[in-house]
Amino acid sequence: MDRTLSKTKTRALGAAPGGHEIQIQYRTLSLHVDSYVEGKSKPAEVQTADPASALRQIDVHQIPVQEVYARFSTSPTLGLESDAVERRSKSAKNVISSPPTQYWRKGLNYVFGGFNFLMWIAFIVTVLSYEPLGGDAPAAFNLGVAVLLFLVIVISSTFYALVDWHASRIMNSIKTLIAEDASVIRNGEHQTVPARDLVVGDIVTLSMGDRVPADLRLVQISSDVRFDRSLLTGESDMIPGTLDATSHNALETRNLALTSTFVVQGTCTGIVFAIGDKTVMGRIVAMSGKTKLELTTVQREIWYFTKIISTLALGLFCIALIVWAAWLRKSFPGFETASQAIVNSIGCLTAFVPQGLPVCVALSLTIVAKRMAKRNVLVKNLATIETLGCMSVLCSDKTGTLTVGKMSVQNIAFFDAEFRVQDIKERLSVEGNSEAPAAFTGLHMVARLCNGAKFDSTTAHLPVEERQVKGDATDTAVLRFAEELSIPSLALSAPTLTAAYEKFFEIPFNSKNKWMLTAVRRRETSDAHAKAEPGTWMLVKGAPDILFRKCMDVLKADGTTSPFTPAARATIHALQERWSSEGQRVLALCRRSLDELDIERDMPANDLEALMHSQMRGLTLVGLVGIRDPPRPDVPDAVATIRRAGVRVFMVTGDFKLTAVAIARQVGVITQEKVDTLEDMRSSGVPKRYLTMKAPMMKPSEEDGDRALVLTGDDIETLEEADWNAVVGNYTEIVFARTTPEQKLKIVESTKARGDNTVAVTGDGVNDAPALKAADIGVAMGAGSDVAKEAASMILLNNDFTSIVVAIEMGRLVFDNLKKVIIYLMPAGSYSEFITVFCNTFLGMQLALSSYLQVCFCITNDVAMSISLMYEKPEADLMLRKPRNARTDRLTNWQFFVQVYLFIGLMMWPCAMSMWFLFMKQQGLGFYDVILVFNKWGAGLKGYTIEQLNDFVNVGQCIYYVTLVFMQCGALLATRNRRVSLLQSNPLWGPRRNLVVPLGMAATAVIAVVNLYGPGLEKVFMTTPIPGMFWGIPFAFALGILVVDEVRKLLVRTYPNSIVAKMAW
């Protein structure tokens, strides 16, 4: 055992550099405790400061079970009494405190993140241009620009912080909607209580799929109980539970169940010995004490774009200064001073900075968080939403995901008789009816006693249908049926049956065996008739195709048995297929007497398990049970929408093949009449088509149409790589039936490895957890198991499958809108503004747009209007487009640059520059009087004084600014739609209404008026009113940009294969 534990530690430590803080701390604590146990601990006074000191004192795993009950003053049958719970609950709640947030790191990210660091550079050099480079009379303009830049930094940093706080608050509030409950024994009754209300000494019962709610000492276990400790150890191996200590180290022994681990198999009962911050997990969280800042996928792409833009901006800024120092200063003395050169070159930094972009990225987080919260969708990381926008394959579980998950028994069958449950209630449950077949006695015994579900004792007074049940949907349906089944003529009643027998062994259902086994013995009785019946039974319930092979006899309706011959098997199999084709889940109920075996009452659990496995043969098939789980009413429409969005939907289920195909047809996963099997696929020669094809290209083509395929778990075991190529590359509709967790995992990994697929997996059971964790996006249902919810990256709290449609749309919309923001910002910002700096530095023209107006335009006018794009609703074709390829489809591509620099930008800067030259022409200054003049611009040029010429420049700069402001209104309306005309999607009414657009336009106009007419700005920043005609002409330019873009969109819609359509963004 020690060698095994040593190997475990070695593997975990080898995996630790992956950055898993919890696993590192867990192993560190474990090694510290080991050193103490081995007598290598430090002196006592040093131990008290050791974080592991408290864990070293744990000895609850080393004392006998009865002593554990005595230590915590609790009873094995009654649990804690109400008074004891109330007293103990006053000390602390079972809640682990969150690790402290490193606000200083967040603050630095807000202040220097995004484009703010460029603003800091611009601020510093502007301050230097004022003092000391400003000389004896530094220009107030330079100081004003510096103050403005500092305000930009302060405001943007504050905005980032507020948006981050708001998004975090929304996500934290929705996390509280996850109900974390615990099943406990209090006052002698099984109760379900909030996990936070557990107290030390509580007796907690756990079953497969449960999260361990507190640190527990195991006092009762099933022979197959297994725990998933991967959250602590980093290892995926299942750890068996024991009643006795397997190590002196409390962190390594297997008779403790630690908080936040999971029961992945079997059942167990434990006594709470630590809660909240005093648990092992609580101490590890306190030790790690830090949270990690992570970028979402779109944020990473924006950061990549930011680095490119920033490098270009800094490069051009340096080039402008080098050109001034090496050429202009010497060849054209007096053209610009050092201070003027720096301030004018600031435009290189501000012009290339789309300051609205980081604001919109931050804002998108809040918008997405709000929309997801409205749909009761918990997204653990907002990157999930962006990844959902790329989803190309959805592997969906059936039960509880595509179906309601509320099963009910519909039909009962024996070898020679078939009954509807409704008929049983109406005819056989009536007093005085003597027609009831005797076989119901055996069927009732198996259904009620071989069952992993149990009623909550607090709801025992309610009708059976209204009682709360802890257990999976299948067991719950059978339990409700057996509890309600009452046949007076056979003296059948559930209370009588459960009182007559005691369970002494159980093997719970798991997805590998696909059956459940219970061993029961009759309690002592004086009833002579009862004594004549066998006293010890093996009861088995599970998949018919698995259990049929273990049956020797079959029960008839009259209670007699006959051999289970091939003919009898064919009869039963035909009934199973008929029910399955109707969408029913079929269970076989079997039993055999164990009276001939001498089973000792104190036989060890492991010996009992081995005995039961060896004796699981020669069973009698008692009957079949048909269970119906109807599809969710909203699922067919949701599946149709997902498929129209270019996403293939695969069903992955543990159900029988015909049942799975029937449900798949009902919900729209399969639409084709012909459904291929593995033999059909191989005989068609399809695998040969993919022998030389590269993995990213293995995907169905639109020309081939839809093809359907059904594969069973046995088929999957035989699939080779060439077969997987054909499965993933050729079929659009696939049902995987009778799959195990390992096979589900194989399906996900094989699909991800081909066709550049982004794979999402939905599920709610323990068996779904490995696939949920391996998928690009794991989606769990709120009513699902704790294991599934832990493994998933998104949880549908109200079990609404249609929320997946909304999530896909949100992912695509965020990416779509950010692309629109960049296309809107770049033509005026990085193009039209930079042209003025270029003309100033290389063509000797006065700066057509002052540094102040450049900064102001980027951080006020552009931001005010670009924000409106983040509130855009989806375009009509958003969910009709193919999924974005996360590997090859970037935020910016060559079509993007064509739109920015050769279309919108190529209309903007000539229009703005023409306004500059028109105004100069009106003052008597021709083209060559304005351009290529360098240091000739001074007193005497065309008879003007330097003051007059400077006034002309100030007015011209304001004209250029106003022209850009109003042309951006046209660009905004043109950018709102990629294909659709504005006439079908105007911002004022209709499905694409976005009132933030006119508000943004009004805001940018007000900013322009304030800049030109605001008191005090004229003295500091040299802004000035402009002639009326220059307020009107830009509206014509804006309309022209909009009309030209409308013509482009018309050509794209009319001629989708033209060169214009191929260049469309």
Side-chain angles (χ1 to χ4, degrees), residues 79-397:
L80 290 178
E81 296 181 346
S82 300
D83 293 342
V85 172
E86 186 175 352
R87 285 195 309 272
R88 299 183 187 192
S89 63
K90 294 178 180 178
S91 57
K93 286 288 186 182
N94 183 32
V95 178
I96 296 176
S97 304
S98 300
T101 303
Q102 293 181 305
Y103 290 105
W104 65 272
R105 291 185 64 184
K106 279 196 167 188
L108 288 177
N109 189 53
Y110 298 147
V111 174
F112 295 101
F115 292 109
N116 270 2
F117 80 98
L118 280 182
M119 294 295 102
W120 276 109
I121 295 174
F123 168 73
I124 291 170
V125 297
T126 306
V127 170
L128 292 176
S129 70
Y130 177 77
E131 186 71 38
L133 299 178
D136 296 334
F141 176 89
N142 295 0
L143 181 61
V145 171
V147 171
L148 177 64
L149 289 169
F150 185 73
L151 287 175
V152 170
I153 294 170
V154 171
I155 294 171
S156 60
S157 301
T158 304
F159 180 82
Y160 297 154
L162 287 174
V163 167
D164 186 35
W165 171 80
H166 191 45
S168 299
R169 186 173 62 85
I170 293 172
M171 298 314 295
N172 288 334
S173 67
I174 197 171
K175 283 181 183 178
T176 62
L177 297 177
I178 300 180
E180 294 188 4
D181 296 328
S183 179
V184 299
I185 299 175
R186 289 179 179 174
N187 298 315
E189 296 181 339
H190 281 279
Q191 302 178 19
T192 300
V193 301
R196 61 180 287 117
D197 293 339
L198 286 179
V199 297
V200 173
D202 260 327
I203 297 179
V204 177
T205 60
L206 298 171
S207 56
M208 185 173 67
D210 288 346
R211 178 199 292 266
V212 180
D215 283 356
L216 308 178
R217 166 63 155 92
L218 299 180
V219 294
Q220 185 179 337
I221 61 172
S222 63
S223 61
D224 64 336
V225 70
R226 299 290 185 274
F227 293 92
D228 177 1
R229 286 190 174 186
S230 59
L231 185 65
L232 290 173
T233 64
E235 299 173 2
S236 58
D237 296 340
M238 293 192 298
I239 306 298
T242 65
L243 292 180
D244 301 319
T246 57
S247 170
H248 293 297
N249 188 338
L251 300 185
E252 300 294 345
T253 187
R254 295 177 177 178
N255 65 340
L256 297 184
L258 302 179
T259 306
S260 295
T261 59
F262 294 92
V263 181
V264 292
Q265 191 171 303
T267 60
C268 62
T269 301
I271 298 177
V272 176
F273 68 87
I275 61 173
D277 291 333
K278 293 185 178 181
T279 61
V280 170
M281 177 61 77
R283 296 181 190 281
I284 290 175
V285 170
M287 285 175 62
S288 59
K290 59 184 179 183
T291 54
K292 186 177 180 181
L293 294 173
E294 294 183 354
L295 295 177
T296 65
T297 51
V298 163
Q299 283 176 317
R300 281 195 294 270
E301 189 130 342
I302 293 295
W303 174 235
Y304 175 75
F305 178 73
T306 300
K307 287 189 289 186
I308 295 175
I309 293 296
S310 300
T311 302
L312 186 60
L314 283 171
L316 291 173
F317 174 72
C318 294
I319 289 172
L321 290 182
I322 292 171
V323 168
W324 172 83
W327 176 46
L328 295 179
R329 182 172 61 88
K330 297 177 181 179
S331 302
F332 304 100
F335 176 47
E336 287 179 337
T337 64
S339 177
Q340 290 173 330
I342 289 175
V343 172
N344 290 347
S345 299
I346 289 295
C348 293
L349 294 179
T350 58
F352 271 89
V353 175
Q355 191 66 27
L357 185 57
V359 172
C360 289
V361 173
L363 191 62
S364 69
L365 303 183
T366 298
I367 295 172
V368 168
K370 279 185 176 179
R371 290 176 178 173
M372 291 294 97
K374 286 182 180 177
R375 299 294 303 225
N376 275 340
V377 176
L378 170 61
V379 183
K380 295 182 181 178
N381 189 326
L382 287 168
T384 303
I385 295 296
E386 301 155 6
T387 309
L388 273 165
C390 307
M391 185 209 299
S392 56
V393 174
L394 173 61
C395 295
S396 178
D397 182 38

Side-chain angles (χ1 to χ4, degrees), residues 446-507:
V446 180
R448 185 62 183 86
L449 299 181
C450 184
N451 201 301
K454 57 187 176 184
F455 290 111
D456 187 337
S457 60
T458 60
T459 60
H461 61 286
L462 298 175
V464 173
E465 285 301 317
E466 298 178 17
R467 295 180 195 173
Q468 291 185 7
V469 179
K470 183 173 178 61
D472 71 19
T474 304
D475 274 341
T476 298
V478 176
L479 177 65
R480 292 190 193 279
F481 161 74
E483 189 73 12
E484 284 185 315
L485 184 61
S486 175
I487 303 180
S489 62
L490 298 177
L492 281 189
S493 77
T496 303
L497 179 66
T498 54
Y501 287 90
E502 63 175 347
K503 182 190 302 181
F504 66 90
F505 183 76
E506 178 178 280
I507 298 178

Side-chain angles (χ1 to χ4, degrees), residues 670-686:
I670 286 183
T671 60
Q672 302 300 299
E673 284 297 322
K674 184 179 186 304
V675 181
D676 288 351
T677 62
L678 178 60
E679 292 73 22
D680 296 332
M681 183 189 76
R682 285 175 172 168
S683 62
S684 67
V686 169

Side-chain angles (χ1 to χ4, degrees), residues 18-139:
H20 301 292
E21 182 71 23
I22 286 177
Q23 289 92 321
I24 294 173
Q25 297 288 5
Y26 176 82
R27 284 304 167 196
T28 302
L29 286 172
S30 179
L31 292 172
H32 285 179
V33 174
D34 270 345
S35 67
Y36 172 78
V37 171
E38 293 166 7
K40 301 176 183 177
S41 59
K42 298 179 181 179
E45 63 272 11
V46 179
Q47 285 185 28
T48 56
D50 187 346
S53 59
L55 298 178
R56 291 170 177 162
Q57 310 305 319
I58 296 176
D59 64 349
V60 68
H61 59 296
Q62 300 187 59
I63 61 178
V65 170
Q66 291 305 318
E67 192 174 329
V68 176
Y69 285 114
R71 173 179 292 189
F72 296 106
S73 303
T74 188
S75 164
T77 55
L78 299 178
L80 290 178
E81 296 181 346
S82 300
D83 293 342
V85 172
E86 186 175 352
R87 285 195 309 272
R88 299 183 187 192
S89 63
K90 294 178 180 178
S91 57
K93 286 288 186 182
N94 183 32
V95 178
I96 296 176
S97 304
S98 300
T101 303
Q102 293 181 305
Y103 290 105
W104 65 272
R105 291 185 64 184
K106 279 196 167 188
L108 288 177
N109 189 53
Y110 298 147
V111 174
F112 295 101
F115 292 109
N116 270 2
F117 80 98
L118 280 182
M119 294 295 102
W120 276 109
I121 295 174
F123 168 73
I124 291 170
V125 297
T126 306
V127 170
L128 292 176
S129 70
Y130 177 77
E131 186 71 38
L133 299 178
D136 296 334

Side-chain angles (χ1 to χ4, degrees), residues 419 427-428 430 432-438 440 487 489-490 557:
F419 300 88
R427 295 192 297 109
L428 303 183
V430 180
N433 190 313
S434 59
E435 298 177 3
F440 269 107
I487 303 180
S489 62
L490 298 177

Side-chain angles (χ1 to χ4, degrees), residues 868 871-872 987-989 992-1001:
S868 66
Y871 289 92
E872 281 295 325
L988 299 179
W989 64 83
R992 293 288 310 287
R993 185 175 75 161
N994 183 3
L995 296 181
V996 185
V997 170
L999 288 176
M1001 291 180 177

